[in-house]
Amino acid sequence: DSGVTQTPKHLITATGQRVTLRCSPRSGDLSVYWYQQSLDQGLQFLIQYYNGEERAKGNILERFSAQQFPDLHSELNLSSLELGDSALYFCASSVGLTAYNEQFFGPGTRLTVL
Amino acid sequence: AQSVSQHNHHVILSEAASLELGCNYSYGGTVNLFWYVQYPGQHLQLLLKYFSGDPLVKGIKGFEAEFIKSKFSFNLRKPSVQWSDTAEYFCAVNAGPNAGNMLTFGGGTRLMVKP
């Protein structure tokens, strides 16, 4: 157990819908990262938050957004869902911002869009 | 932008065989290098990391990796694999030390160890 929790574990929804994925970082970690793992794109960085502020953006679609709340949990919002959004979404957390801070990964949320 | 290539997508070995998984990255500056493992049904776990210093790094569970700067490579090795090493292995880089902490992953290598 990495100490990072993600809910729900599985999510099945239809095209055009909106879903919210939740992540609680390890106790004491201020930085949260979201990654998407799909068959065709592999494991890709989406976005990073540090202590409530967005710090880095990767290949995140405009239909996707995220935020980190004062209690440091984070939510990833996916809207106007398409079949291609079906993937495993991982959250990771680290103490700080730099590469010297190991990222600990959660178990992921498997999203299926029908 | 950095990129990572893992040339072996699937590897099948018998127990006690030696393992080497290739990883090459593309980036002109300083990089930090990582190997992560994902056991079936589990989260990604860090096996080992390289920031600087001795290019031969040792990680958990008997794994090691060698950073060869001239070849832009960071291959993962284990002298004798066990059935419990069956998992997917990911090489990752980030453009450290001041470029943030986002990881760029390779496509992964699925290792199956036959008992």
Side-chain angles (χ1 to χ4, degrees), chain A residues 16-110:
Chain A
Q17 295 299 304
R18 173 189 169 94
V19 297
T20 298
L21 312 183
R22 182 188 170 104
C23 168
S24 293
R26 291 186 325 151
S27 177
D29 284 0
L30 298 178
S31 197
V32 170
Y33 313 78
W34 286 97
Y35 292 87
Q36 179 196 57
Q37 185 179 29
S38 62
L39 284 175
D40 53 346
Q41 299 289 332
L43 195 54
Q44 288 195 102
F45 168 75
L46 295 178
I47 197 163
Q48 177 196 6
Y49 279 81
Y50 178 78
N51 204 20
E53 293 188 6
E54 182 186 305
R55 294 305 299 254
K57 255 186 175 179
N59 297 322
I60 186 166
L61 300 171
E62 284 192 12
R63 300 184 285 108
F64 294 2
S65 65
Q67 55 184 324
Q68 186 179 26
F69 294 85
D71 67 353
L72 301 176
H73 90 273
S74 178
E75 293 181 356
L76 179 67
N77 300 297
L78 316 176
S79 61
S80 303
L81 285 168
E82 302 175 0
L83 295 177
D85 298 327
S86 295
L88 194 52
Y89 291 84
F90 286 107
C91 168
S93 72
S94 67
V95 169
L97 276 174
T98 74
Y100 300 104
N101 302 130
E102 179 181 343
Q103 292 185 38
F104 293 85
F105 283 78
T109 292
R110 184 169 294 282

Side-chain angles (χ1 to χ4, degrees), chain A residues 2 33 35 37 43 45 90 97-103 105-106, chain B residues 32 34 36 38 43-44 46 51 90 94 97 100-103 105:
Chain A
S2 66
Y33 313 78
Y35 292 87
Q37 185 179 29
L43 195 54
F45 168 75
F90 286 107
L97 276 174
T98 74
Y100 300 104
N101 302 130
E102 179 181 343
Q103 292 185 38
F105 283 78
Chain B
N32 298 310
F34 307 81
Y36 281 84
Q38 187 176 27
H43 58 277
L44 283 159
L46 182 65
F51 292 150
F90 294 91
N94 65 20
N101 202 7
M102 54 181 156
L103 294 168
F105 285 90

Side-chain angles (χ1 to χ4, degrees), chain B:
Chain B
Q2 60 238 35
S3 65
V4 181
S5 297
Q6 293 180 243
H7 309 296
N8 312 104
H9 297 296
H10 291 90
V11 173
I12 301 174
L13 295 173
S14 297
E15 274 194 318
S18 64
L19 170 72
E20 180 158 3
L21 302 182
C23 171
N24 287 91
Y25 66 92
S26 171
Y27 185 72
T30 303
V31 292
N32 298 310
L33 298 152
F34 307 81
W35 275 98
Y36 281 84
V37 61
Q38 187 176 27
Y39 297 104
Q42 294 189 27
H43 58 277
L44 283 159
Q45 300 173 48
L46 182 65
L47 267 181
L48 47 77
K49 59 191 175 188
Y50 174 79
F51 292 150
S52 64
D54 188 346
L56 185 63
V57 292
K58 294 192 184 299
I60 61 172
K61 306 188 181 189
F63 286 90
E64 64 179 32
E66 184 175 13
F67 170 54
I68 303 180
K69 190 174 181 180
S70 61
K71 294 185 177 180
F72 297 89
S73 71
F74 189 56
N75 292 354
L76 182 71
R77 299 196 291 248
K78 186 170 184 178
S80 175
V81 294
Q82 301 172 320
W83 176 79
S84 58
D85 293 324
T86 295
E88 189 160 17
Y89 294 81
F90 294 91
C91 181
V93 304
N94 65 20
N98 298 315
N101 202 7
M102 54 181 156
L103 294 168
T104 299
F105 285 90
T109 298
R110 286 187 184 271
L111 171 66
M112 178 183 293
V113 180
K114 299 185 293 184

